[in-house]
């Protein structure tokens, strides 16, 4: 693609009111003046005056000037063109590039699915829930496991979660694992990084170098030696050299040792006609116990390796009814609403991290939600026949390639006796690295040099992968390229390789997967109807506190999907990926400038993973200083549940004796004003001298208040030898204003799906950037992008903790965030946070005379980007009198927001009786006023007619859903017979947005009265 070819944008930006606003902030200067006057400040600077001056950043920020809309698009097109896409690529390495089904871009454009939050309000999220339900059902059909969650970050981290699950299932009596050497080394590296300093351990069982699979005799021996310690055996179905493992034997072996059989699958290979589903592995067909896999290739292009889609499956049959309670992540279940209508909802959510804190089954919060939605679209779009064809094509092309390649002099199948499906390893004359580079110069990405995976390789092993994008002409192109490089092939196939490379029946699926073949147009109509069941921040203020539901520009979607970015494989040669490396390099630079810290990693894929990186860095730092007794982490009570859950996953398991904490997570008390109690920090440090690895502090905290003692706490912790993690989920309040280095921060994550404007996708994918202080630079995970005279190169930190992602994180999201940063420029970053604070203060000012603010004694503390209100005591009393118990009132009041055409605020977190409201900077004063007016009207409505809360919500497609029943009777998938019905909105959000508020109130009163009467 040349720089002068600018593809037209796939939307009309002039028709989108927020899209063309400077910095995507639609308020006018006049409105800013009005709002400042209303909250009692003279200008935006005043909003930050309470923050200690020595912790503030001095403008200008070291960021470039902002780029106007059209120039920005042109810049990003030119940037994408700096990546060089090959004419043909055979690079796969378990991330093959399949054709992206037509339904995928269509569904990706459905804004209510793309931009919504996690479906915590199921009545207004049936769209997301149904797509994730369909994903679960499709994967159940493919794998023949009974429960597939939706979803983990990627295959590597899903594997870590599987190991934790297996250990939990053995009640932590068994903590050792054997990992097949044929697993993908990138996955093994992530496992190694994340298990360091935890109770879990593993050994790698060598590869049988003659067969390219795990050495079975060695495995048997090692398994026997582990005895009762062995929690699980992990093996791939198709390994990192393309060879198919003897999955039945491996499953039996694990079971014979009383251990879990944990398999790494490729879902595409499980289609009808393909490989054996893991639910049937074993000589008795008993199946494996846990499965993980990578779903990204099912759904989307490689996007330089992220977002991925971690597949996680657990058994949920008669013999294993309870295993699911130990599993991580979200499951969508089937339920009914009050009137018996079928509905979907998140089930088992009592395990969710924000409720269970350090007892949670995982720290995952934002996951890969939208990739599951797209995977459902892709599988249903292809249908049974299409999936079968894609699966078969990869096999057919690999076999054709095997026949073709082995005609070249010196090229041989590395493992001629082992069956393969769509990936094969050959030996080449000379060095495979040199051959790859030579082919690159001819526009071919030949494959992956896998020599390092084989101890006796002489550097001549080459792995090639095939999928449904390949045709026989690609194999001819491959052949032509090799002819130029190593000479013409022999005319006939060599005797040793004339076989058809067939895969034995014991390794293959015997019965169809029975996916449906639904009509393409009907599917489009169906997904479009599903999107209308959700609500998007495009329409109106989406006040979900702590989630920063700001506007997500259309431009970012167009840019992230430019082929130069999207089609790039993370293992493509470095010379061809310079455009993306430059983006990553610039991001490193910008985040250093915006945080005041020394270095940045772009590898983590969500806030919670950023936290985990932070704690792993702390452990590495302490270890490097010989400090091995630091086994405690201090966390304030108001922290998001991911903080303590992360500490547990990192290895800070909490041990108690009575109420005394012996090790692990200790809570810092809050003072009456909701901020950390400095005295309590002192006490804890005195109680656990030299034991505190670090502190995790959310700042501004979840009450929306800047922690004024942050610096003092950091100093105390540092004096004791500990380190300081700042949970940066609320950076939208302070980005560009606060110098985190001066504040004493050692590590901080920025959630790109909050502050940096990437869409939430109904639960993810998110992304995170972690900035660190000088102390932690030597330990950074993954690779740093370094600028040299020859271009951008990758470099490992000297004492790196290893990788936390198999490649570079969710790079498509970094492209979006980079585009956003270029639109904001040095002024816009500060204007963005100031406007977010102004919007919150303005709405709070409008509401605070009607609703008490929480925490009570912090009512007058200056609010940053969010605030918490509760119902007045008299309203609680009226509700009690109407039979609505106090502990239900806030949740039900939240449902009233849905009837007014808004999403609910965050309910009952961090204050049990709180409604946490975060308006963000994306709305005009008139929109904020309408929201505030509506909230006040809701209070009047409830005061006048408290029984309204018995019948809310009224206008969503379904009534309030019975989550207790759905959790008792778990249903997690269904055979897909006919396209499910989509119940219509009774009044759609867009229609509600156009109605006068009084008319909505009247309609609610009428609907409620009618329902109550009907029930009498
Ligand atoms: C304060 C806070 N910390 C941490 C997290 C976890 O971030 P993520 O969901 O990106 O993993 C969240 C997410 O909602 C949050 O609000």
């Amino acid at each position: 693609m040349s720089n002068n070819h600018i593809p037209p944008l796939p939307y009309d930006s002039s028709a989108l009111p927020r899209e063309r606003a400077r910095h995507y902030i639609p308020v006018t200067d006049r409105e800013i003046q009005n709002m400042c006057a209303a909250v009692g400040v003279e200008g935006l600077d005043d909003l930050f005056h309470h923050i200690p001056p020595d912790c503030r950043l001095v403008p200008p920020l070291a960021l470039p000037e902002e780029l106007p809309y059209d120039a920005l698009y042109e810049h990003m097109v030119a940037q994408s063109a700096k990546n060089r896409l090959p004419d043909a690529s055979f690079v796969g390495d378990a991330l093959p590039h399949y054709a992206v089904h037509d339904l995928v871009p269509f569904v990706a454009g459905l804004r209510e699915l793309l931009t919504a939050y996690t479906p915590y309000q199921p009545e207004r999220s049936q769209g997301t829930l149904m797509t994730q339900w369909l994903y679960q059902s499709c994967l159940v059909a493919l794998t023949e496991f009974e429960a597939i969650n939706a979803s983990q970050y990627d295959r590597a981290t899903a594997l870590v979660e599987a190991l934790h699950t297996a250990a939990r299932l053995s009640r932590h009596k068994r903590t050792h694992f054997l990992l097949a050497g044929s697993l993908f080394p990138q996955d093994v590296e992530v496992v190694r990084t994340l298990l360091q300093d935890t109770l879990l351990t593993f050994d790698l069982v060598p590869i049988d170098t003659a067969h390219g699979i795990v050495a079975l005799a060695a495995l048997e021996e090692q398994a026997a030696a582990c005895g009762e310690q062995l929690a699980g055996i992990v093996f791939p179905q198709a390994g990192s050299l393309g060879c198919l493992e003897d999955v039945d034997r491996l499953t039996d072996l694990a079971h014979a040792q009383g251990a879990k059989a944990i398999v790494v699958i490729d879902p595409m290979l499980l289609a009808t006609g393909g490989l054996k589903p893991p639910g049937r592995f074993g000589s008795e067909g008993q199946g494996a116990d846990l499965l993980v896999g990578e779903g990204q290739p099912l759904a989307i292009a490689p996007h330089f390796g992220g977002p991925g889609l971690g597949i996680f499956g657990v058994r949920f049959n008669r013999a294993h009814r309870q295993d699911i309670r130990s599993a991580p992540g979200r499951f969508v279940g089937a339920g009914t609403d009050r009137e018996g209508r079928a509905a979907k909802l998140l089930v088992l959510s009592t395990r969710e991290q924000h409720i269970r804190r350090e007892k949670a089954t995982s720290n995952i919060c934002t996951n890969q939600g939208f990739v599951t939605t797209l995977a459902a679209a892709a599988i249903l779009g292809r249908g049974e026949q299409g999936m079968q064809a894609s699966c078969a094509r990869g096999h057919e092309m690999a076999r054709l390639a095997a026949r073709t390649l082995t005609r070249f002099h010196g090229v041989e199948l590395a493992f001629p006796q082992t069956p393969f499906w769509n990936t094969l390893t050959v030996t080449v004359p000379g060095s495979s690295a040199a051959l790859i580079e030579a082919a690159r110069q001819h526009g071919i990405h030949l494959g992956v040099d896998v020599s390092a995976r084989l101890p006796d390789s002489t550097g001549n092993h080459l792995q090639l992968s095939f999928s449904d994008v390949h045709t026989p002409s690609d194999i001819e192109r491959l052949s032509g390229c090799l002819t130029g490089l190593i000479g013409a092939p022999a005319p006939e196939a060599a005797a040793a390789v004339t076989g058809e490379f067939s895969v034995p029946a014991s390794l293959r699926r015997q019965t169809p997967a029975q996916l449906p073949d639904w009509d393409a147009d009907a599917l489009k109509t169906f997904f479009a109807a599903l999107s209308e069941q959700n609500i998007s921040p495009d329409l109106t203020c989406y006040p979900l506190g702590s989630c920063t539901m700001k506007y997500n520009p259309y431009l970012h979607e167009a840019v992230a999907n430019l082929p130069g970015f999207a089609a790039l494989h993370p293992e493509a040669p470095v010379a061809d990926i310079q455009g993306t490396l430059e983006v990553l390099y610039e991001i490193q630079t910008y985040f250093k400038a915006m945080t005041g810290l020394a270095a940045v990693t772009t590898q983590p894929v969500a806030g919670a993973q950023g936290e985990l990186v932070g704690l792993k860095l702390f452990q590495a730092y302490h270890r490097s200083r010989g400090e091995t007794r630091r086994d405690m982490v201090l966390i304030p009570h108001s922290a998001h549940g991911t903080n303590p859950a992360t500490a547990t996953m990192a290895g800070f398991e909490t041990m108690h004796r009575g109420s005394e904490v012996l090790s692990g997570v200790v809570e810092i008390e809050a003072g009456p004003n909701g901020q950390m109690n400095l005295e309590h920090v002192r006490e804890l440090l005195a109680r656990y001298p030299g034991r505190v690895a670090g502190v995790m502090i959310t700042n501004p905290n979840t009450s929306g208040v800047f922690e004024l003692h942050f610096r003092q706490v950091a100093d105390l912790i540092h004096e004791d030898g500990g380190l300081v993690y700042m949970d940066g989920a609320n950076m939208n309040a302070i980005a560009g204003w606060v110098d985190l280095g001066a504040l004493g921060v050692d590590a901080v994550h920025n959630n790109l799906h909050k502050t940096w404007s990437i869409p939430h996708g109904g639960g993810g994918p998110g992304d995170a950037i972690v900035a660190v202080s000088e102390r932690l630079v030597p330990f950074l995970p993954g690779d740093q992008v370094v600028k040299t005279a020859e271009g951008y190169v990758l470099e490992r930190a000297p004492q790196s903790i290893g990788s936390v992602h198999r490649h570079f994180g969710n790079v498509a999201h970094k492209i979006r965030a980079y585009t956003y940063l270029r639109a904001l420029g040095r002024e816009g970053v500060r204007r963005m946070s100031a406007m977010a604070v102004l919007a919150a203060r303005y709405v709070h000012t409008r509401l605070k005379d009607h609703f008490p603010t929480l925490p009570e004694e912090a009512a007058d503390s200056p609010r940053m980007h969010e605030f918490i209100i509760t119902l007045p005591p008299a309203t609680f009393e009226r509700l009690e009198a109407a039979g609505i118990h106090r502990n239900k009132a806030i949740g039900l009041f939240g449902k009233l927001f849905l009837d007014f055409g808004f999403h609910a605020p965050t309910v009952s977190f961090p204050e049990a009786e709180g409604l946490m409201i975060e308006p963000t900077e994306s709305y005009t004063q008139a929109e904020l006023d309408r929201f505030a007016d509506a909230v006040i009207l809701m209070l009047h409505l409830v005061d006048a007619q408290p029984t309204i809360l018995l019948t809310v919500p009224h206008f969503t497609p379904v009534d309030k859903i019975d989550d207790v029943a759905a959790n008792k009777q778990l249903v997690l998938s269904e055979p897909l017979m006919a396209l499910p019905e989509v119940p219509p909105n009774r009044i759609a959000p867009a229609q509600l947005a156009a109605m006068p508020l009084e008319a909505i109130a009247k309609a609610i009163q009428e609907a409620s009265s009618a329902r109550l009467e009907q029930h009498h």
Side-chain angles (χ1 to χ4, degrees):
M1 190 191 304
S2 86
N3 290 4
N4 21 9
H5 175 66
I6 307 294
L9 284 166
Y11 54 85
D12 173 8
S13 64
S14 64
L16 303 166
R18 296 178 219 286
E19 187 70 17
R20 284 276 180 176
R22 183 178 175 224
H23 306 146
Y24 306 105
I25 296 173
V27 278
T28 60
D29 288 346
R30 173 113 214 112
E31 286 176 318
I32 296 176
Q33 278 171 16
N34 291 341
M35 288 159 69
C36 282
V39 307
V41 294
E42 295 208 339
L44 298 181
D45 281 12
D46 277 0
L47 297 166
F48 299 88
H49 264 179
H50 61 297
I51 296 175
D54 57 350
C55 297
R56 282 193 239 145
L57 279 172
V58 181
L61 292 175
L63 254 71
E65 286 288 357
E66 68 201 62
L67 282 173
Y69 200 83
D70 296 322
L72 176 56
Y73 180 50
E74 282 178 28
H75 173 76
M76 292 310 295
V77 171
Q79 189 66 31
S80 74
K82 290 184 186 170
N83 290 327
R84 216 169 316 137
L85 293 182
D87 298 332
S89 170
F90 306 97
V91 176
D93 214 18
L95 214 62
H97 188 169
Y98 281 89
V100 176
H101 192 272
D102 290 351
L103 194 55
V104 169
F106 175 79
V107 173
L110 296 171
R111 297 281 297 182
E112 292 83 358
L113 290 178
L114 175 73
T115 61
Y117 195 68
T118 305
Y120 288 137
Q121 291 288 339
E123 297 84 2
R124 192 24 90 219
S125 315
Q126 287 296 300
T128 293
L129 286 159
M130 179 55 90
T131 64
Q132 297 189 355
W133 168 264
L134 291 171
Y135 165 79
Q136 289 180 188
S137 297
C138 288
L139 266 288
V140 164
L142 286 169
T143 61
E144 301 199 16
F145 261 47
E146 300 80 10
I148 300 288
N149 88 8
S151 63
Q152 300 289 322
Y153 302 139
D154 59 13
R155 186 182 56 225
T157 49
L159 180 51
V160 175
E161 298 277 9
L163 303 185
H164 282 288
T165 307
R168 263 192 302 275
L169 286 172
S170 79
R171 296 177 205 281
H172 282 104
K173 287 196 192 112
R174 294 172 174 238
T175 50
H176 191 67
F177 292 89
L178 292 176
L179 268 57
S182 50
L183 287 165
F184 289 85
Q186 305 94 321
D187 293 348
V188 175
E189 182 177 351
V190 173
V191 170
R192 183 171 287 116
T193 307
L194 296 181
L195 291 199
Q196 171 85 44
D197 292 321
T198 71
L199 296 177
L200 308 189
T201 52
F202 75 91
D203 282 316
L204 208 54
V205 183
I207 285 188
D208 166 351
T209 51
H211 295 94
I213 55 174
V214 64
L216 282 164
L219 177 61
E220 272 163 3
E221 220 171 273
Q222 283 181 250
C226 293
E228 301 268 292
Q229 266 303 303
L230 187 65
I233 296 179
V234 186
F235 54 92
Q237 184 166 29
S240 80
L241 301 165
C243 300
L244 300 182
E245 296 281 353
D246 185 346
V247 289
D248 290 344
R249 185 155 165 203
L250 290 164
T251 302
D252 286 350
L253 175 57
H255 290 168
Q257 298 295 328
K260 298 290 178 200
I262 304 169
V263 60
V264 179
I265 53 123
D266 175 341
M268 187 58 100
L269 308 190
L270 300 176
T272 300
L275 299 181
K276 186 179 229 178
R280 297 200 181 226
F281 288 2
S283 54
E284 308 281 313
Q286 72 274 28
D289 302 292
L290 293 161
L291 70 80
V292 299
E294 182 54 63
Q296 182 195 24
L298 270 181
I300 56 177
H303 288 282
F304 206 57
L309 167 54
I311 300 172
F312 180 95
V314 58
R315 302 316 296 262
F316 183 53
N317 53 23
R318 209 170 278 183
H320 296 277
R321 209 64 194 162
Q322 293 306 317
D323 288 10
I324 197 161
R325 312 253 159 208
S326 299
R330 291 182 194 129
F331 288 89
V332 175
T336 53
D337 77 354
R338 262 193 208 114
E339 301 292 319
R341 292 182 196 91
K344 303 290 178 278
L345 70 162
L346 294 180
V347 285
L348 295 162
S349 57
T350 47
R351 305 161 319 139
E352 283 242 335
Q353 59 295 323
H354 57 283
I355 300 171
R356 296 293 303 274
R357 295 178 62 92
E358 63 268 38
K359 292 202 183 68
T361 46
S362 154
N363 71 337
I364 195 163
C365 179
T366 296
N367 61 19
Q368 305 299 106
F370 200 58
V371 193
T372 58
T373 295
L374 297 180
I379 297 172
L380 294 172
R382 287 188 184 101
E384 168 75 4
Q385 291 181 32
M387 286 292 289
Q388 187 172 350
S390 292
C391 171
R393 173 65 74 86
H395 191 39
E396 197 188 312
M397 289 300 111
R399 292 160 79 184
L400 178 58
R403 282 196 293 274
T404 308
L405 291 173
T406 47
R407 286 167 44 210
F408 283 90
H409 182 69
V411 178
E412 283 170 25
L413 285 184
F415 312 105
Q417 295 161 40
T418 314
F420 59 85
W421 192 264
N422 67 330
T423 296
L424 50 105
T425 299
V426 292
T427 50
V428 297
S431 124
S432 41
L435 196 62
I436 289 170
E437 174 53 23
R440 184 192 76 77
Q441 291 180 17
H442 287 82
I444 303 281
H445 287 174
L446 197 56
V448 176
D449 175 6
V450 289
S451 308
R453 298 176 192 180
L454 289 154
D456 49 3
S457 172
T458 55
N460 61 341
H461 283 82
L462 174 72
Q463 177 222 71
L464 301 96
S465 288
F466 303 87
S467 75
D468 62 358
V469 297
H470 294 113
T471 61
S473 61
D474 288 308
I475 311 296
E476 274 168 34
R477 202 174 273 155
L478 173 64
S479 176
C481 174
L482 285 182
T483 303
L485 298 176
I486 56 176
E492 279 171 25
V497 292
T498 47
E500 278 301 294
F501 313 112
S502 59
V503 174
S506 62
L507 300 182
R508 296 189 68 154
R509 176 183 270 286
Q510 299 301 326
T511 52
Q514 291 190 325
L515 293 165
D517 274 310
W518 288 330
D519 172 74
D521 288 336
L523 274 168
K524 273 194 175 172
T525 311
F526 171 71
F527 275 96
L530 285 182
S531 78
E532 287 168 16
Q533 311 242 306
N534 278 11
I535 187 166
S536 159
D538 285 0
L539 180 67
T540 172
C541 169
Y542 198 122
L544 204 63
S546 200
C547 301
T548 313
M549 298 300 290
K550 62 168 68 178
Y551 180 65
N552 313 128
Y554 280 64
L555 181 62
H556 297 179
E557 302 312 304
V559 167
N561 286 302
L562 288 168
F565 289 131
L568 202 63
H569 194 283
E571 292 176 59
V574 169
D576 288 354
I577 59 176
Q578 291 291 305
T580 293
L581 290 188
E582 186 175 0
V583 168
L584 295 176
Y585 176 81
E586 298 282 332
I587 286 180
Q588 290 171 188
T589 316
Y590 300 167
F591 275 87
K592 281 193 258 178
M594 289 191 297
T595 56
L597 289 170
V600 160
T601 169
T602 55
Q603 209 180 33
V605 296
Q609 208 194 20
E611 295 165 20
L612 193 53
V613 166
L615 293 192
K616 287 281 145 203
L617 290 170
F618 287 12
Q619 288 168 328
Y621 169 82
H622 293 313
R623 205 179 319 115
S624 75
R625 293 156 52 96
E627 294 214 50
T628 49
R629 250 180 71 72
R630 294 198 175 265
D631 57 354
M632 325 235 18
V633 180
L634 310 188
I635 302 178
H637 175 71
S638 64
H640 193 268
T642 50
N643 292 188
T646 297
T648 307
M649 276 197 90
F652 297 96
E653 294 259 354
T654 306
M655 304 291 181
H656 293 270
R657 185 169 41 215
S659 60
E660 188 195 351
V661 178
L662 299 177
S663 64
V665 175
V666 192
E667 268 185 25
I668 305 175
E669 287 167 6
N673 61 2
Q675 299 197 36
M676 276 180 300
N677 180 341
L678 194 58
E679 268 322 299
H680 193 227
V681 176
R682 280 203 184 94
E683 259 173 52
L684 291 174
L685 289 171
R687 196 182 309 158
Y688 303 108
R691 298 264 313 273
V692 174
V695 64
M696 298 178 87
I697 310 170
T698 306
N699 191 33
N701 66 24
T702 40
S703 310
V705 175
F706 191 88
E707 290 281 357
L708 291 173
H709 298 309
F710 194 108
R711 178 61 201 262
Q712 283 109 305
V713 171
D715 287 347
L716 288 174
I717 298 286
H718 284 146
E719 276 161 30
D720 186 66
L723 296 169
V724 177
Y725 189 85
M726 189 179 110
D727 179 331
N730 298 333
M731 282 298 288
N732 209 42
I734 55 172
W737 292 86
V738 177
D739 181 337
L740 302 184
L743 209 55
V745 171
D746 291 300
V748 58
H749 72 257
N750 273 259
N751 310 59
L752 299 193
H753 45 296
K754 297 181 184 206
T755 312
W756 306 105
S757 191
I758 64 176
H760 278 82
D767 202 35
I769 283 170
V770 171
V772 301
S773 68
E774 233 22 283
R775 292 180 180 95
L776 298 180
V777 177
F779 309 101
L780 281 170
D783 289 326
Q784 289 284 298
V785 183
V786 177
K787 192 174 182 174
T788 69
E790 285 76 48
Y792 295 93
V793 295
L794 298 168
E795 230 175 67
R796 264 291 138 130
Q799 294 161 270
S800 173
I801 56 169
S803 274
V804 296
H805 186 271
R806 36 154 229 248
H807 293 113
F808 302 92
N810 289 346
V811 174
H813 278 343
K814 319 258 190 240
I815 305 280
R816 289 177 175 92
Y818 174 80
T819 312
Y820 185 50
L821 279 162
R822 297 303 306 259
L824 294 180
R826 62 174 67 114
E827 248 184 79
V829 171
R830 284 165 67 86
R831 187 161 170 262
M832 163 194 90
S833 351
M835 287 307 305
V837 175
L838 181 61
R841 283 222 198 143
Y842 178 69
V843 176
H844 185 225
T845 304
R846 295 268 342 258
L847 296 180
K848 68 182 182 190
D849 294 339
H850 303 269
F851 295 85
T853 300
L854 294 178
E856 258 170 55
E857 290 176 50
D860 297 326
S861 302
R863 262 20 198 217
M864 302 298 289
H865 63 299
E866 66 192 5
F867 59 92
I868 305 175
I869 54 171
T870 187
L871 298 176
T875 305
F876 275 122
E877 278 167 29
R878 280 191 197 101
L879 288 168
E880 291 263 14
I884 298 163
H885 195 266
R886 206 176 165 106
N887 65 10
K888 293 264 185 298
I890 291 292
L892 292 174
F893 195 78
K895 303 282 178 210
L896 202 44
F897 283 73
L898 312 184
D899 275 347
F900 273 87
F902 298 104
H903 194 277
T906 296
V907 291
S908 304
F909 171 79
E911 300 277 348
E913 293 182 350
L915 294 157
M916 198 208 301
I917 294 177
E918 180 181 11
T920 83
E921 72 279 12
S922 302
Y923 303 94
T924 62
Q925 188 186 4
E927 288 172 314
L928 296 175
D929 277 331
R930 181 178 161 94
F931 174 72
D933 290 342
V935 183
I936 296 165
L937 188 53
M938 288 177 213
L939 184 62
H940 293 330
L941 257 185
V942 169
D943 279 339
Q945 194 177 323
T947 49
I948 276 180
L949 292 195
L950 292 172
T951 52
V952 281
H954 306 89
F955 306 143
T956 43
V958 292
D959 287 354
K960 186 163 181 310
I961 298 169
D962 185 349
D963 57 333
V964 177
N967 274 289
K968 262 194 202 145
Q969 191 60 47
L970 284 178
V971 181
L972 301 174
S973 67
E974 66 183 333
L976 298 173
M977 313 300 277
L979 259 178
E981 298 256 322
V982 183
N985 277 302
R986 278 151 304 172
I987 308 182
Q991 206 181 331
L992 287 164
M995 282 167 73
L997 293 175
E998 289 69 23
I1000 299 177
K1002 190 156 171 275
I1004 293 172
Q1005 279 171 320
E1006 286 170 5
S1008 180
S1009 302
R1011 253 183 238 179
L1012 287 171
E1013 218 160 274
Q1014 192 187 337
H1015 282 277
H1016 276 302

